[in-house]
Amino acid sequence: MDPMTFSIIRHRLFRIVDEAVITLKHVSGSAITNEGHDLMVSLYRADGTLLMGGVGFLHHLTSAAEACKSIIRRFEGDIHEGDIFLLNDPYTAALHTSDIYLVSPIHHEGRLVAWSACFVHVYDIGAVNPGGFAPQAPDIYTEGFSSPGIRLVAGGEMRQDVLDTILNMVRSPEMVTLDLRSMIACNNVARDRMQSLMTKYGAKEVDGACAELVNQSEDLFRARLRELPDGQWQSRQYLDVNGDTARVNLTMTKKDDRLIFDFSGSDPQSPYSINCTKWASLGGLFAPLFPLLCYDITWNEGVLRPVEMIAPEGSIVNCTRPAPVSVATVGAIQSVNNAACSTIGKMLGASEKYRNQSTAVWHANHFAIFKFGRNQKGGDSIGILTETFAGAGGARSFADGVEIGGEIPNPISRMANVETVEAAFPVRYLFRRRAPDSGGPGEYRGGTGGELALVPHKAPDGGINYVISGKGSRHPMSEGLAGGYPGAPNSYVWVKAPEDGANTPVTAAGGLDAISGTQERVSWGVYPLMGRDALYVRWNGGGGHGDPIVRDPEAVRRDVAAGLVTLQSAGDIYGVALRDGAVDETETMAKRKSIRSARLQQEASE
Amino acid sequence: MSGQDRISASVAVKEGQAVCAACGHDLGPATKPWKDHAHRREIPLALAGGQAYDTGHEGVLLRHFYCPGCAALLDTETAMAGDPALDDILAARG
Amino acid sequence: MAGTGETSYLVATDVGGTCTDTVIFGTDGVIHIGKALSTPPDFATGVLNSIVSAADPMGLTLEELLGRTHLFIHGSTVVDNAVLTRDGTPTGLLTTQGFEDTLHVTRGAYGRWSGLTEERIKNPVQTDRAPALAPRDAVVGIPERMDCDGAVVLPLDEAAVEQAVRFLVNEKQVGAIAVSFLWSFLNADHERRVRDIINRVAPGAYVTLSSDIAPNLGEYERTSTAVINAYAGQITNDYLTSLQGLLAEKGYDGATMVMQGYGGLLPAAEAADRAVGMIECGPAAGVIGAKFLGDLMGDPDVIAADMGGTTFKVGVIQDGKLEYAREPMVDRFHYLAPKIEVVSIGAGGGSIISVDPRTKVPHVGPRSAGARPGPICYGQGGEEPTLTDVMLLIGYMDPGQFLNGSITLDREKAERIFKEKIADPLGMTTQEAAIGIYRIASAQITDLIREITVERGLDPRDFVLHSFGGSCGMLAAAFGQELSVRRVVIPYTASVNCAFGLVSADVAHEYSVTQNLPATTSAAQINAIFAPMEERARAQLAAEGIEPDRMRMEWSVDLRYSRQVHEVTTEVAANTPLDDAGAARLVDDFEALYERKYGRGSAYREAGIEMTMFRLTARGLMPRPTLPAEEEGSADASAALIGNREIYVETKGGMAPGDIYDFNRLQPGNSLKGPAVIHTPITTIALPDRMTARMDRWRNIVVEFDAD
Ligand SMILES: [Zn+2]
């Protein structure tokens, strides 16, 4: 086709997705959509294959394609212009029940020509715990409303009975209405723009450009794979919940222009809601694959074609009904994404041409903490602790990871200001800062994570409660590369005030240990933050790259000065001696020499 | 594998053999798990250094693989006792 | 104002990235224009050169002109430049203990991806934050704490402050100190006491308090603003002082007013202490200039598009109102200060055309040949085809007519390289390929403007498009038509629009109070918030010599639905101080505005409405110069017809004959039909088929689309 017209149509398809995202954010107005950017909008071809993925939560690009396909199968012959379908059943295509897909067919001159799909994390879905993440759910039946596909809008008219039925099952139906309304508006914008694109250039021409775009992505991705070495790379993730530990094992094989992700050997599905379905696993592995391998390739079906996934049925990465999955997005899906990031990072690191694209694992462990309770103004407040979106960058083969630098699967996220949180919730921060020693040591250090402590403040009920789905406080999950250490794991501590009636702490410059009281680890369930107690959270740093004892001693000195690495770790892990704030070169050399000789003193165990 | 490929920043490939990138120590064929030829050491995570790794839980290990020639740290894994090593190998050209 | 008899002058000079423009209005109604190259970092030289270039044709020396000048208005990129080149004063930061990392953490990834193109955001491995203007080792946490009501939780540790100041000044050698404490915008007592201590311990240090410069909620943005201001404060001070000194030396004894990013003027002495206010004041002045023209021509809804060599900028004026940026940035740093929204992307005449070797898909930009080496046809060493070269190849530019014939364009070389690098790889003829590239550029600008209007809930069909800058005229009619705007205007003053905007601005001060109140708040309570602001504002304006009858107090309130994040600045339309009906109307107006901006059904009323910020814009009206209007004469434009050549005509699907006109020979009332090209001294206007261009009473070119 004419390369000029192709270029114009391609650009316009990108903008259509952008405009739909803007509409979604505008109409919704919710904090999680606008601040956390927990959303996704994309376009699909008439057969449901991915045409154009936007910059949203990348886990969803492939799952929403499956949502389109399953709607096509279910409603074959009964799909009409102006219809909008809702789907949120994880065993059909969705990631978990609270991420609702609305998919809408796009017709031109009476013919089905494309689909648009979007999701937001809705305010509530009626699960046993509020907010969508349900650590106390034993099965899918207690994780709220779910549908494998239902017509919400018929020929442009809202089906009020269907809507009322859904709203009847959720907390705060007004907020869920708003979420649904925003998704409808978003799909309408995508449909209108696609239709005017086809009117201007012709449906056949546009579809031709779409086919070309998909083929082009496939060709480019296969060409890139051929440039990379053939081989096999392994990674492993440990997910601990309430004392149980589950493994996600991955062997990634690259041969010629194909890539196989094999999760054989992963543990059986868990009694806890960290499991994920196979569509969710597929989404999880593509989330890092798009930005790491296809950063300059349009994200569509063409990228999917060279990739195969093997996920054993009944395992934590391909669970079977009725296993609970509500924490999947920060559970098994995130581990799949970490594991894939690790093997892809290894493969890129093995290539002369692409080694600078290689990265250790970023922010591997979200902590989903939903605070809820009456606030200082007497109103109800509920919301996620947005520090979970703050993340940490993995070290790269040429540079340190970005401190508190976000995550790979959600390219544009951010956390709320302390003042914003304190204005809306009856809490006060004692500190919020970068956590020392949290970035994985290496020649290039992983980006640090952060730490914070909260106390109740002017709370009418003496404090608030929170739902925590905080797995991963035992095992580091942000793996390093080429010898780099993993980032330090998450930590969630309930500091119980001493009996003797001391006041609520007002400051804690020394960190966790400066808060008086007894420390108790928490991770899973519903807990109070009341009275004079404090909640401490530390989130993981990124993985390191290379051997820490070859890190530039000057960089270690700077890290210590900036409070990113402790003096003890500078000596023990990096082998750097500091004296009066300067590097002691002689002693550093001696220290590194002695670390080297200690390394070989023990017999090889295999 | 092409002439410029390597296993990682720490393990190079020379004439089909995996070698330490720092000193050239031979680590066996690149098409086989090189970790069998490395010096392996496991330490409890809590002792890995700094306070941040001390989670208060036992049984989590940091597994290091060192070059027997120069003691360079070639790879680090998070592991539980008895879990196999993670193997990264390049395919034979051909 | 002017004395009797002798003409006196208003001189306005705008320092832009490349050029420094001057507009002079005489009390005799005549406008004079001057232009010179900008001379960073010593911008004052360029300012004087520019004024001289305007004075010359008037037959006046600089001294003669300045001796008869009653007002000097100035806009400058000095602050932007100090930040971009990292040329500011070494700066330290004092902040609340426990939150020392706030500036450097940038609310997580926000500071890593902000300001990057979508292409770069899609490759996170290659992205980093910009290093902060205050290094982390020059940040000291101070024991102190306020809570969300501004109540003291932990008193200020003055000894710690003194020690920290000594450390910053002696050990870290800082020359400027920013102070930013949590909740200081509700209770500034701690910050003010810190300023007193700094003044005592380190009297030479430049100090900025976050509660002074950005008294708003959100500690990251507030801190970042204070740091930028501290960093650029001294340079700005020095610059304005030395410029005024130079002007005084040349005989000027009047006031100097300085343009702010929100489109208002401040006396130089005040502007010097609010460096962040000057950021991007040039583009803001450009939008003000477009608004002035829109008002003059009776068009309250204007899309102002400016395309020069490297950037494409768009500002939107709706119903005569300007929109403020929600999350302004300079370089890659966020700040909080009222600033007119101007969206800028890297697309201009210098945008490099390339063909992706893997896919054979052509691209326009994002790389630019800039001013140097520039397009191939300029013959300054450019070896990569640019959009300007394409304009030459499709007949829109005349090799002999460029910039009044001051440079002869090298068409042969442009064609040869374009063929080799673009047309051949695409398997097309040079002409086909050039036409295709033009179509792509036009379509991409259409997409961009559509996205900008969608973001604001606007429909481009309601707007008039103003085209500014050297490259815009060749595309404006084409993308204007695809956007279905009402008409396209290429203003007579397009070449010096920013300087023109300076003279159409008023003195303006912005005040705000952050306070969270329900929508049911009584009129009396709202009035009580505004009263002290008004009092301050009136005193300020009076001190600047503004008579009470020229003062205007404009109230507005930010409102939002309680559980939604979008805040909408809603103008108070009722008379102030408010009565209860006026307060109720404010809430109604907010609701209407919200739906218009965010779409039908976007409001969640059940959650309640709250007011979050109370804003006062205090204006001192400046005497507005009048643009002389001429009589419109005959429609016959044949006197300006200078030729006919092959140009790209979309309706013909290729090259076809087009009439060529000389702008300088057109007279008000002349009308001409496309396909045609009009050469002006600074740009070229391409008029497609089925469009009509007319010169209006102010010598603007107005393009209308013929009815089907
Ligand atoms: Zn070695």
Side-chain angles (χ1 to χ4, degrees), chain A residues 596, chain B residues 10 19-27 66-74:
Chain A
R596 263 182 214 278
Chain B
S10 53
V19 298
C20 169
C23 74
H25 185 93
D26 192 305
L27 297 164
Y66 299 118
C67 167
C70 71
L73 173 58
L74 304 176

Side-chain angles (χ1 to χ4, degrees), chain C residues 164-175:
Chain C
V165 172
R166 289 189 201 287
F167 165 77
L168 289 178
V169 173
N170 299 333
E171 309 272 317
K172 294 294 157 191
Q173 312 273 312
V174 307

